[in-house]
Amino acid sequence: MTTKELIRAKIEQLKHYAEESKMEWINDGYNQNAFAEDCRISSFDKLLTFIDSLPDEPVSDDLEEAAREIVIKMHPCMKDCTILGDRLTRGQLMALVKAGAEWQSKKEQDIIETAEDHAFLAGANWQKEQMMKDAVEGEVCILPGRAAYVKEKDNESLKQYLLDHFKYGDKVKIIIVKEEEK
């Protein structure tokens, strides 16, 4: 059974309970409560439509293992069972659904964090490439008496770049990046 089928079955069950409750409210003359149940039923229908639009994917082994662990916590005697069966109470099923939702939320958060990390690194690499694309190579020269200057390898390219992009007196910031050893 797929995750989608499991969720769909649970929502259909909740919808059925709402429909039964609605009929009880109508029979007892509480139309306002029946209207509230109609709203719930409509919400369940919208959820089912949304679920039907999702792609199918099989239930993860991790999710089944999480469900099994919860059942064993509730019923230690089921530890050696290979099939969990249909012996679960409504509360136990709700606990399984909650555990499944928590598991899914954690999985999704892990995916989001991984995607954020990849996006950050890609952005950092892109930014470095942009910064370095017009970089001019040079060599640091230190003179006696602690005087220093940078000698450009291609003085003409730096001079042309400065003439093309700046005018006399422009304020600039210079970033010096040490070239990595090869």
Side-chain angles (χ1 to χ4, degrees), residues 67-165:
R68 182 169 179 72
E69 286 176 18
I70 290 207
V71 170
I72 291 170
K73 282 181 186 174
M74 290 182 210
H75 297 286
C77 63
M78 295 188 80
K79 185 176 184 179
D80 298 325
C81 293
T82 54
I83 298 174
L84 297 177
D86 295 325
R87 296 185 204 160
L88 303 175
T89 65
R90 184 174 180 198
Q92 292 164 336
L93 284 173
M94 293 301 289
L96 286 175
V97 170
K98 182 178 177 187
E102 289 171 357
W103 174 88
Q104 183 67 33
S105 177
K106 184 183 179 319
K107 282 290 199 190
E108 289 172 356
Q109 187 60 37
D110 291 345
I111 290 169
I112 289 168
E113 288 173 6
T114 301
E116 286 173 344
D117 289 345
H118 286 289
F120 176 80
L121 290 174
N125 287 335
W126 178 84
Q127 188 176 23
K128 182 179 177 183
E129 288 172 10
Q130 295 302 307
M131 184 178 74
M132 298 301 288
K133 75 179 180 182
D134 292 325
V136 175
E137 290 186 20
E139 184 178 328
V140 173
C141 297
I142 300 180
L143 303 173
R146 307 277 305 151
Y149 68 96
V150 175
K151 179 173 74 174
E152 302 84 27
K153 289 193 176 179
D154 181 4
N155 198 21
E156 289 306 311
S157 68
L158 175 60
K159 192 182 296 180
Q160 190 59 51
Y161 181 82
L162 293 172
L163 289 171
D164 291 345
H165 293 87

